[in-house]
Amino acid sequence: MINQICTPRIFFSTFHRCAFFIAVLVFLSSTAGLAQTSPHTTESPAAAGVRALNNSLLLLHGQMQQADANSARTLRGQAATVIAQRAAALTNLIWNDPRAALSFAFSPELLADLAAKFPQSASLLESHTTVTGSAQHWIADYSNGSRSWWRMTAGGQALNLHFAGPEPRTLGPGEVLQATGVVVGSQMAVETSSIIQSAAAGLSTNSSGPATKAETHGWEWPTSMLFVFGFVLALPGLSEKNRLSRARILSILKRLAIYGLVFTLFVFTSTPMYAQNSCSTTGVQNVAVILVTFPGVTPPSTLTPQSVQDMFFGATAPSVTTYWQEASYGMTSATGNVFGWFTLNGTYSSTACQSLTAMQSDAISAAAAAGANFQNYSRIVVVFPDTLGCGWSGLSTIGCSSLSTPSGAVNASSSYISASYATVQVATHELGHGLGLNHASSRGFTDNSGTPAALGPIGAAGTLTEYGDKFSTMGCCDLAEYGAPHKAEILDWLPSGTGYQTVQTSGTYLLQPYETLGGLKALKVQRGTGNSAWLWLEYRQPDGNYDPLSFPSPLWTTLPPQPYSGALIHYEDSTTGIHTHLINYTPSDSSFFSPALVAGQSWSDPYTNLSLSVTGATATGLTVDVNYSGSVQCTPANPTIKASPLDPSIYPGSNAAYSLAITDNDSSGCASNTFALGSTQPSGWPTTFSATSVTLGPGQSASAIMYKTGPSGTPPGTYAVDANAASNSYSASDTANVTVMIPPSLTVAVSVPATGFTLRSTVPIAATVLNSGAPASGASVTFTLTSPNGAATTQAATASSSGTATWSYKLGPKSVTGTYSVSAQAVLSSGSRKATTTQSATSNTATFTVQ
């Protein structure tokens, strides 16, 4: 939630304080959440710093290729400093621009050689990896934006995941996240990701979000049965005072078996019902609020246990429970307890603001000692004075995860609120994250001439403002209701067919006021035929306690009640995720104070065959005509182009190959376009393409290969690369890098004489090792063969006088069929015992198939 010090109510009287917060936090934080902008055309200072450190390290690496033993020791000392500086700079870049970080990460082959040459610093080098596991999605809410990351424990290491592209959706029960990217320390820049079923599919993983009805039927049966038997097994652990006799327990077991069966059958065949700590988005939400402070720190005098009790559970608005009751049409409410104040004696450094596990654990222990049984709670909120310098008003998981408590493991959402900003608005915002919601953003567009427009082409990113939707508590800055996409698709507060209706055909529809009980509340309108973009229409009226849109600023109260005069419309496409994106039907007003499509107004989508007309808006309902007809006019748009890989490594005189993906974004009424491909960076480098142009129809994509040749004598370094696609005045570009290395004196090349082999045959594998072009007799060679199932086998050999090492790999009758890969590493030592020089080299990768 936007920090309350910068809300309109007191903005003018505290402008200097707001300016200070914004100035500081612009440096510390970035507006994250979605990959929402085009690639950088101007390199940031942070990226330029990493480029300079790359070049310094590559120069040392080149010198190491020819170094004697004494020089090598000196170079290793110099490299240790550069590698440490580079690790810190790359870590910072991962936090703030993960795509740029990926474009500066060295290739696996170069990293292996760097680790061999500078072994004392190998642990500070990045690694390319794929991790799989349960993950928590965290959101930190700052005054000028938010910071979003995922946290996963994989292989015993806790990683913060930062996505170069759109973030994945919240994990459901039985699902895990698989992420591929680059790791530096505890930070990972994720290039690609996917959600897959865990090995124990059907059981909840330790990071789960609210399940929709469509997702529940695969897991309700085992989950409900586990709940029943978990409760039964817990009975013998009761205190002696309350312990039941063995006969009594057996009697209860029989009853629970019957009740559990009935309960399970009911859940499996109807709308989901949940145990209180199952993190459902409906029903009574049991919330434990823990107030903590630190030695010598006095909490705000206005924040008492009773005031916090009223804030969360008070029967009089505003409170969290009355907000949820009204916004959910009675389907959700909050109850619970406030514990504290407790003084925690742990040490929580400022770096812990991205991982407050220790503080939460100590807070839970203190509350448990005061009588809290955390088996009763599915939402845990810690309120504390921010003396750590976190800078945010709130921090929360999106959805729930498994937490360890003195009462046993519980499945709960975790939220933190800075005591200075503890209000109902902040609480409903952070607990909204706990329910599975991301922010309510605004999304602005311009046409090709730069004039503001309601929508851009299908697939256009537009300009996102993270808290830009002023008509939701998940945005800024009022305590208004969650938007229709959030209520319908995540919270399950608007049932499909009755609460909202999916529209794909022409017709006239009547929407009831959004705040009233019963009736159709929203339309999910397909944006033209044959695409996966949607417009969500809802009709707000000044009813109830939470949608009068009574903004606290006198400036805002002078505005006409435009949002009440028509349809508020949110956009949903492949980039939306669990955000909502408010779009602007008064695009000339960039403030998004008057975004509604008002009564008497019509809009025709210039990119599809959809048109909308609001024909009436009264206190009792809004009438809208949806029309799919007529031809779509041609609206040209800039294409998109994406290059990969982001940073291949080459030697001077050799080629780097990039795969280019080009997409035509013209509206469907346009003719085909021919896009010429080109590149200008690095300056003076020869460039060729597999095809110099591609011809595409609207919405179509094609691929091509771009080859960059590093001229002989190119100094070592990381060089900027670009790729362009243009048709007439419409064009797009993308950026990447290429790293040039000084060739090593020692080289090794692996070869296999055939591309295919059969079971029971022998695969002859050879490695040729050269030192400055001559055979490297006596070099140690280690072959690594990887089978199709990922299993690796190694074999050691010694190079002969001709520089050749061989391995005859025998295939058995039950060997795995498919594609095998084999590579080799060579090590050559020379000099005296007192002054030994060791060179190493990593080979190419050869492949063969087994049938």
Side-chain angles (χ1 to χ4, degrees):
M1 197 35 224
I2 301 296
N3 283 342
Q4 296 302 297
I5 192 173
C6 292
T7 55
R9 176 178 294 144
I10 53 175
F11 176 84
F12 295 102
S13 64
T14 59
F15 175 79
H16 63 288
R17 296 172 71 190
C18 291
F20 173 77
F21 266 84
I22 291 171
V24 172
L25 290 170
V26 162
F27 175 75
L28 293 176
S29 164
S30 64
T31 300
L34 290 176
Q36 58 198 40
T37 58
S38 60
H40 300 297
T41 56
T42 302
E43 191 162 82
S44 69
V50 176
R51 187 183 297 279
L53 290 165
N54 271 15
N55 295 345
S56 297
L57 182 55
L58 290 164
L59 181 61
L60 293 170
H61 170 261
Q63 294 171 352
M64 195 72 172
Q65 305 277 41
Q66 307 288 340
D68 58 25
N70 290 329
S71 297
R73 282 194 294 270
T74 301
L75 290 170
R76 289 190 185 101
Q78 295 172 348
T81 300
V82 175
I83 290 172
Q85 293 173 341
R86 180 177 174 273
L90 195 57
T91 296
N92 179 65
L93 197 59
I94 289 175
W95 264 103
N96 293 288
D97 191 344
R99 188 183 189 278
L102 289 166
S103 74
F104 286 103
F106 290 143
S107 67
E109 296 80 12
L110 174 55
L111 289 167
D113 200 36
L114 286 168
K117 286 182 168 58
F118 309 116
Q120 76 277 18
S121 301
S123 62
L124 295 177
L125 294 170
E126 67 270 26
S127 61
H128 294 258
T129 188
T130 296
V131 295
T132 303
S134 300
Q136 295 176 321
H137 187 183
W138 287 90
I139 296 286
D141 294 301
Y142 296 88
S143 64
N144 69 320
S146 70
R147 187 185 289 277
S148 172
W149 71 95
W150 292 63
R151 190 167 180 83
M152 175 191 292
T153 299
Q157 180 184 12
L159 293 173
N160 291 325
L161 311 184
H162 309 271
F163 294 82
E167 292 181 341
R169 61 172 173 80
T170 302
L171 299 180
E175 293 180 332
V176 293
L177 178 66
Q178 187 171 83
T180 297
V182 169
V183 173
V184 182
S186 61
Q187 311 303 320
M188 180 176 186
V190 179
E191 186 168 11
T192 61
S193 64
S194 60
I195 294 175
I196 60 176
Q197 289 294 314
S198 68
L203 297 180
S204 176
T205 65
N206 74 346
S207 179
S208 62
T212 63
K213 289 180 181 177
E215 297 173 323
T216 56
H217 292 303
W219 64 274
E220 287 164 340
W221 178 278
T223 300
S224 57
M225 291 306 293
L226 283 173
F227 169 76
V228 171
F229 288 116
F231 178 79
V232 171
L233 292 173
L235 286 176
L238 295 173
S239 65
E240 287 295 327
K241 180 178 179 180
N242 296 310
R243 193 182 302 271
L244 300 176
S245 67
R246 180 180 180 88
R248 181 63 171 159
I249 292 176
L250 290 174
S251 175
I252 290 178
L253 281 172
K254 294 178 182 178
R255 295 182 189 179
L256 284 175
I258 297 171
Y259 295 159
L261 179 60
V262 173
F263 173 76
T264 303
L265 289 172
F266 175 73
V267 171
F268 191 71
T269 57
S270 64
T271 301
M273 299 286 289
Y274 302 84
Q276 283 305 307
N277 67 351
S278 66
C279 276
S280 166
T281 60
T282 57
V284 178
Q285 307 294 307
N286 284 348
V287 184
V289 185
I290 311 173
L291 310 179
V292 300
T293 188
F294 313 108
V297 178
T298 302
S301 59
T302 56
L303 203 63
T304 66
Q306 184 58 54
S307 70
V308 175
Q309 180 78 23
D310 295 339
M311 182 190 306
F312 281 84
F313 313 118
T316 303
S319 69
V320 172
T321 190
T322 58
Y323 174 87
W324 276 350
Q325 287 170 338
E326 186 169 310
S328 70
Y329 314 104
M331 300 175 67
T332 300
S333 62
T335 190
N337 302 94
V338 177
F339 302 95
W341 293 88
F342 303 114
T343 299
L344 304 184
N345 294 311
T347 300
Y348 315 106
S349 65
S350 59
T351 56
C353 291
Q354 283 79 46
S355 178
L356 293 171
T357 304
M359 181 198 292
Q360 184 190 58
S361 178
D362 290 347
I364 287 174
S365 295
N373 180 355
F374 285 92
Q375 293 294 329
N376 297 331
Y377 302 102
S378 59
R379 314 284 170 195
I380 298 175
V381 181
V382 177
V383 181
F384 69 101
D386 184 13
T387 58
L388 304 179
C390 299
W392 34 254
S393 58
L395 170 73
S396 183
T397 58
I398 290 187
C400 297
S401 61
S402 179
L403 299 176
S404 178
T405 78
S407 311
V410 298
N411 193 37
S413 62
S414 299
S415 300
Y416 303 85
I417 296 176
S418 174
S420 299
Y421 309 121
T423 64
V424 176
Q425 183 184 11
V426 173
T428 55
H429 184 102
E430 299 306 328
L431 283 170
H433 288 319
L435 290 172
L437 310 180
N438 211 316
H439 291 136
S441 306
S442 62
R443 189 167 172 182
F445 294 90
T446 59
D447 60 22
N448 288 319
S449 65
T451 303
L455 277 174
I458 298 288
T463 300
L464 287 172
T465 301
E466 188 71 7
Y467 300 105
D469 185 349
K470 303 164 181 67
F471 312 111
S472 168
T473 193
M474 299 310 295
C476 169
C477 296
D478 202 25
L479 191 55
E481 295 196 14
Y482 303 130
H486 275 166
K487 283 191 183 184
E489 294 190 322
I490 298 178
L491 299 174
D492 208 20
W493 292 353
L494 290 177
S496 177
T498 55
Y500 78 94
Q501 184 174 341
T502 301
V503 176
Q504 295 174 288
T505 58
S506 300
T508 299
Y509 303 88
L510 176 65
L511 286 179
Q512 301 299 314
Y514 195 63
E515 301 76 11
T516 58
L517 189 63
L520 187 66
K521 294 293 184 289
L523 298 177
K524 183 182 180 181
V525 179
Q526 188 174 26
R527 188 188 173 188
T529 54
N531 62 66
S532 57
W534 302 87
L535 299 174
W536 285 83
L537 282 64
E538 61 192 62
Y539 181 45
R540 301 289 182 101
Q541 286 294 284
D543 298 325
N545 294 304
Y546 296 103
D547 256 353
L549 302 183
S550 54
F551 297 108
S553 167
L555 173 65
W556 290 359
T557 57
T558 62
L559 294 171
Q562 199 267 1
Y564 298 142
S565 305
L568 281 183
I569 301 180
H570 295 86
Y571 189 43
E572 179 184 324
D573 64 0
S574 60
T575 68
T576 304
I578 56 176
H579 285 71
T580 59
H581 289 162
L582 180 69
I583 53 177
N584 192 358
Y585 281 88
T586 311
S588 59
D589 177 13
S590 60
S591 70
F592 278 77
F593 287 139
S594 51
L597 184 68
V598 299
Q601 187 177 359
S602 297
W603 172 77
S604 295
D605 189 350
Y607 303 97
T608 73
N609 62 338
L610 171 67
S611 62
L612 302 173
S613 297
V614 178
T615 58
T618 68
T620 58
L622 177 139
T623 305
V624 59
D625 291 337
V626 179
N627 190 23
Y628 298 92
S629 65
S631 59
V632 179
Q633 68 180 41
C634 174
T635 305
N638 289 322
T640 54
I641 183 170
K642 295 293 182 183
S644 66
L646 293 177
D647 189 16
S649 299
I650 62 170
Y651 298 124
S654 59
N655 294 328
Y658 297 85
S659 176
L660 306 180
I662 308 99
T663 303
D664 184 337
N665 294 319
D666 289 352
S667 68
S668 58
C670 295
S672 296
N673 269 317
T674 297
F675 295 96
L677 304 180
S679 175
T680 60
Q681 291 183 313
S683 177
W685 284 38
T687 305
T688 58
F689 295 89
S690 60
T692 57
S693 64
V694 293
T695 300
L696 300 171
Q700 291 182 336
S701 298
S703 60
I705 305 297
M706 178 177 72
Y707 300 94
K708 288 283 184 179
T709 302
S712 297
T714 301
T718 298
Y719 296 83
V721 173
D722 69 345
N724 310 305
S727 177
N728 299 318
S729 60
Y730 297 96
S731 63
S733 64
D734 193 25
T735 58
N737 282 314
V738 60
T739 291
V740 177
M741 307 174 292
I742 292 179
S745 298
L746 189 72
T747 61
V748 56
V750 167
S751 62
V752 178
T755 58
F757 297 87
T758 59
L759 297 175
R760 302 177 186 272
S761 64
T762 299
V763 182
I765 304 169
T768 302
V769 187
L770 302 176
N771 185 21
S772 299
S777 176
S780 298
V781 176
T782 301
F783 293 96
T784 301
L785 183 142
T786 304
S787 66
N789 63 8
T793 304
T794 60
Q795 177 69 36
T798 301
S800 66
S801 58
S802 63
T804 302
T806 61
W807 179 21
S808 297
Y809 180 73
K810 178 66 177 178
L811 292 167
K814 296 183 179 180
S815 293
V816 180
T817 58
T819 300
Y820 288 69
S821 62
V822 61
S823 61
Q825 185 170 31
V827 177
L828 180 65
S829 298
S830 59
S832 65
R833 180 176 299 178
K834 293 183 178 180
T836 301
T837 298
T838 300
Q839 300 180 75
S840 63
T842 302
S843 77
N844 60 302
T845 299
T847 61
F848 60 90
T849 59
V850 175
Q851 297 180 343

